[in-house]
């Protein structure tokens, strides 16, 4: 289970996920600087930490690294939700409470997701009863 990202880690990963291509520390720094004052070394340290934690892989290009996300934001979010659900002593009640917090748009997204999963992974058909039903004579 992934541990939740810290605030700055999330800001960095948001860019890596959104851009969906290999990025440099400089690119992330310049984008972050539009929102806050931050040093190159700080961004470099965060990206190195994300690499050490397995969130990004990196390849050398010239004298710099290019970082690429290892998984998607959706996969990260799903893992966090799954872990939170698994920690509940009453998973059904946790789901009911969670669904109750959802907006109508979120519920529609949930319905769409359920339809996709059911289409792609249909439940197996229940076992068929022997000919003649329960009271049929057995050979």
């Amino acid at each position: 289970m992934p541990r939740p990202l810290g605030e700055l880690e999330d800001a960095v990963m948001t860019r890596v996920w959104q851009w969906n291509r290999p990025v440099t520390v400089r690119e992330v720094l310049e984008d972050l600087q539009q929102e806050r004052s931050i040093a190159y070394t700080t961004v470099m340290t965060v990206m190195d930490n994300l690499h050490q934690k397995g969130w990004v892989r990196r390849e050398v290009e010239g004298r710099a690294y290019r970082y690429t996300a290892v998984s998607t934001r959706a996969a990260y979010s799903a893992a966090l939700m799954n872990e939170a659900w698994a920690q509940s002593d009453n998973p059904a009640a946790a789901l009911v409470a969670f669904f109750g917090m959802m907006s109508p748009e979120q519920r529609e997204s949930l319905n769409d997701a359920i339809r996709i999963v059911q289409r792609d992974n249909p439940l197996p058909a229940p076992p068929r009863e022997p000919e003649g039903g329960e009271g049929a004579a057995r050979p």
Side-chain angles (χ1 to χ4, degrees), residues 1-116:
M1 153 63 191
R3 287 184 28 218
L5 296 170
E7 187 262 331
L8 189 51
E9 289 174 328
D10 186 70
V12 169
M13 284 305 301
T14 293
R15 283 148 179 88
V16 175
W17 282 319
Q18 285 176 343
W19 295 339
N20 197 27
R21 61 172 173 76
V23 300
T24 64
V25 171
R26 175 77 49 204
E27 289 172 308
V28 174
L29 170 72
E30 290 172 358
D31 199 61
L32 284 171
Q33 284 179 331
Q34 294 177 26
E35 300 172 357
R36 65 180 89 192
S37 177
I38 191 165
Y40 180 92
T41 53
T42 301
V43 177
M44 182 176 62
T45 299
V46 169
M47 293 187 82
D48 184 60
N49 289 343
L50 289 167
H51 176 257
Q52 297 299 324
K53 293 177 179 181
W55 287 105
V56 294
R57 66 178 146 266
R58 65 185 180 195
E59 294 183 20
V60 176
E61 184 176 288
R63 294 179 9 173
Y65 285 113
R66 285 213 173 260
Y67 294 85
T68 308
V70 169
S71 67
T72 64
R73 163 125 11 225
Y76 166 70
S77 297
L80 290 177
M81 289 188 289
N82 187 56
E83 178 66 16
W85 184 51
Q87 295 299 318
S88 174
D89 61 347
N90 187 340
L95 284 174
V96 169
F98 179 63
F99 296 157
M101 295 176 194
M102 292 178 149
S103 69
E105 295 80 17
Q106 289 171 320
R107 279 194 219 111
E108 186 57 35
S109 293
L110 175 63
N111 287 330
D112 291 343
I114 290 170
R115 280 191 292 276
I116 290 168

